[in-house]
């Protein structure tokens, strides 16, 4: 039997050996657990799913963000310039109006209302009449600009009050080359000035109109939309009993020329010389006849006519009709009120505690 001391030594050695093996096994298990704590290995499809949003963010940062100012410029280009009758009657467009202006108009129409500087009240009325029409139809197929045209200012009060209008509305053209006389060459001066003023941004049509005419813009735009863009002369034929546009000329209440004819009038001195003074509508017809121009002529009667009189003096006057384009000879406020009431211009008025109107 071995000595006790030797037995104890062998037992201690065995225990130490067993403890070392146990410690090594525990350390190995701990190391293995630490290795399993990290991210698992990803498959190819998983890697693609992780990388896709990162690549998308990189694309937005590199390619879209630098275009920020370009996009802002594009959005601001939808707003028309000051002084233009916009779809909501002001220079600040509503969202619906902005969408309407983002679409390129089918054509551009300039209406020049030949008037006198002193008739401030009439211009105020006409601004309401045309502004309300454009506000009611923001998707109008054409860009329609209305300008009030008169000759040089000759009174001290005009030189103050007219500039106030220009500051407020930006819709006035003051002709420098004429005296205030409609049949003294003003129409020729108007067309000549327009050809120069808008040479860089020409209109498709230019319409000369009186200040006693109510033009229903949607009806006019629909009618002009079917017309040729060149060599075009449009209006209500004179004499009144004629429906043949080639027989006479277009009434001075309101007639339109295509842009090429406006340019031609401005440069046709050999034709217009000595033919600018006299009834201005007849003179315009004479220029076109002598120059062999305006071969595309269109008569808008009976949709353009004079105010209905109890006893008509000629066939240019008749009762209001629903498809009216223009009514002429609205010489006073009662006639304007009669016409505006017939065409229901106040239909959009809503009840309010701030006003009440007797029936």
């Amino acid at each position: 039997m071995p000595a006790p001391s030797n037995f104890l030594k062998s037992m201690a050695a065995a225990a130490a050996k067993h403890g070392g093996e146990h410690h090594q096994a525990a350390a190995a298990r701990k190391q293995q657990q630490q290795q399993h704590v990290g991210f698992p290995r990803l498959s190819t499809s998983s890697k693609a799913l992780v990388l896709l949003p990162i690549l998308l963010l990189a694309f937005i940062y590199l390619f879209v963000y630098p275009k920020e100012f370009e996009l802002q410029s594009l959005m601001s280009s939808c707003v028309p310039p000051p002084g233009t009758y916009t779809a909501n009657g002001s220079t600040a467009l509503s969202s619906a109006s902005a969408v309407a202006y983002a679409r390129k108009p089918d054509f551009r129409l300039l209406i020049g209302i030949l008037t006198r500087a002193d008739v401030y009240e009439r211009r105020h009325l006409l601004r309401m009449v045309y502004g309300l029409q454009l506000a009611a139809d923001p998707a109008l197929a054409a860009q329609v600009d209305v300008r009030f045209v008169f000759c040089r200012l000759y009174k001290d009060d005009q030189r103050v009050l007219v500039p106030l209008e220009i500051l407020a509305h930006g819709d006035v053209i003051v002709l420098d080359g004429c005296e205030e006389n409609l049949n003294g060459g003003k129409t020729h001066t108007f067309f000549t000035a327009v050809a120069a003023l808008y040479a860089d941004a020409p209109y498709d049509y230019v319409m000369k109109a009186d200040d006693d005419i109510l033009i229903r813009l949607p009806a006019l735009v629909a009618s002009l939309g079917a017309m040729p863009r060149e060599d075009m002369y449009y209006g209500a034929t004179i004499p009144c009993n004629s429906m043949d546009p080639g027989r006479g000329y277009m009434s001075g209440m309101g007639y339109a020329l295509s842009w090429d004819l406006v340019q031609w009038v401005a440069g046709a001195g050999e034709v217009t010389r000595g033919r600018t003074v006299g009834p201005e509508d007849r003179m315009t017809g004479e220029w076109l006849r002598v120059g062999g121009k305006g071969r595309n002529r269109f008569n808008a009667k009976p949709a353009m006519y004079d105010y209905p009189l109890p006893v008509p003096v000629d066939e240019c006057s008749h009762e209001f009709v629903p498809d009216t384009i223009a009514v002429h000879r609205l010489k006073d406020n009662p006639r304007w009120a009669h016409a505006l009431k017939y065409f229901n211009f106040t239909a959009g008025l809503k009840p309010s505690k701030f006003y009440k109107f007797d029936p």
Side-chain angles (χ1 to χ4, degrees):
M1 182 177 181
S5 59
N6 292 335
F7 176 77
L8 292 174
K9 288 180 181 178
S10 63
M11 290 292 290
K17 180 179 179 181
H18 179 73
E21 292 175 352
H22 178 76
H23 178 74
Q24 291 176 355
R29 285 196 301 271
K30 184 176 181 181
Q31 183 177 5
Q32 187 177 10
Q33 290 175 353
Q34 289 176 346
Q35 290 175 351
H36 285 291
V37 169
F39 290 105
R41 292 190 176 186
L42 299 177
S43 64
T44 303
S45 60
S46 299
K47 291 178 180 178
L49 290 175
V50 172
L51 290 175
L52 182 61
I54 297 175
L55 292 174
L56 180 61
L57 290 173
F59 174 81
I60 293 174
Y61 181 80
L62 293 174
F63 295 99
V64 176
Y65 182 76
K67 298 288 186 179
E68 177 184 358
F69 296 107
E70 181 179 337
L71 291 173
Q72 291 178 353
S73 175
L74 178 62
M75 291 299 293
S76 64
S77 68
C78 295
V79 181
T84 297
Y85 282 117
T86 62
N88 70 347
S90 68
T91 55
L93 293 180
S94 65
S95 58
S97 300
V99 171
Y101 254 90
R103 179 177 61 82
K104 183 179 179 180
D106 294 344
F107 62 90
R108 300 176 67 235
L109 168 65
L110 174 67
I111 301 177
I113 300 177
L114 274 59
T115 183
R116 293 177 291 110
D118 286 336
V119 291
Y120 303 102
E121 180 186 358
R122 179 60 56 84
R123 286 195 293 280
H124 174 66
L125 172 62
L126 291 172
R127 286 187 181 107
M128 291 192 295
V129 166
Y130 295 123
L132 286 172
Q133 289 186 77
L134 292 170
D137 193 356
L140 201 65
Q143 176 187 333
V144 180
D145 294 336
V146 180
R147 298 291 181 266
F148 297 97
V149 183
F150 33 83
C151 294
R152 64 173 64 93
L153 308 179
Y154 61 95
K155 296 180 181 179
D156 290 340
D157 60 318
Q158 293 174 352
R159 297 187 182 100
V160 176
L161 300 181
V162 170
L164 282 179
E165 283 188 76
I166 295 173
L167 288 171
H169 304 290
D171 58 2
V172 170
I173 297 176
V174 180
L175 304 174
D176 190 45
C178 65
E179 299 295 335
E180 198 56 76
N181 184 339
L182 183 60
N183 293 324
K186 182 176 180 179
T187 297
H188 182 266
T189 304
F190 165 66
F191 283 129
T192 301
V194 164
L197 290 171
Y198 299 103
D200 294 334
Y203 288 86
D204 295 290
Y205 305 114
V206 177
M207 186 173 197
K208 173 266 167 188
D210 290 344
D211 64 3
D212 62 346
I213 185 175
L214 166 61
I215 301 174
R216 299 179 69 218
L217 295 180
L220 175 63
V221 166
S223 181
L224 281 176
M227 299 295 110
R229 298 291 192 266
E230 295 182 351
D231 205 26
M232 199 280 301
Y233 182 30
Y234 173 100
T237 57
I238 297 294
C240 292
N241 61 358
S242 173
M243 296 295 287
D244 180 6
R247 177 181 170 187
Y249 53 91
M250 303 300 176
S251 167
M253 69 167 82
Y255 54 87
L257 301 179
S258 54
W259 181 256
D260 61 308
L261 290 185
V262 174
Q263 291 180 307
W264 176 80
V265 168
E270 70 284 356
V271 172
T272 61
R273 189 176 298 111
R275 295 187 176 95
T276 59
V277 177
E280 60 86 21
D281 48 4
R282 183 167 62 82
M283 293 294 100
T284 301
E286 183 73 2
W287 305 333
L288 299 177
R289 185 190 65 79
V290 173
K293 298 291 185 177
R295 296 185 182 277
N296 296 317
R297 299 187 176 212
F298 294 88
N299 173 33
K301 293 193 307 189
M304 294 180 70
Y305 54 93
D306 287 344
Y307 179 82
L309 299 173
V311 181
V313 296
D314 53 42
E315 295 181 36
C316 285
S317 173
H318 59 73
E319 294 298 320
F320 294 133
V321 294
D323 61 349
T324 294
I325 293 175
V327 182
H328 185 220
R329 298 194 185 281
L330 303 180
K331 297 294 186 182
D332 51 38
N333 286 344
R335 288 190 178 187
W336 274 99
H338 185 199
L340 294 171
K341 181 179 180 180
Y342 177 86
F343 294 111
N344 216 13
F345 266 68
T346 59
L349 187 67
K350 294 179 173 56
S352 172
K353 66 180 181 180
F354 294 105
Y355 50 76
K356 181 180 179 181
F357 300 103
D358 295 330

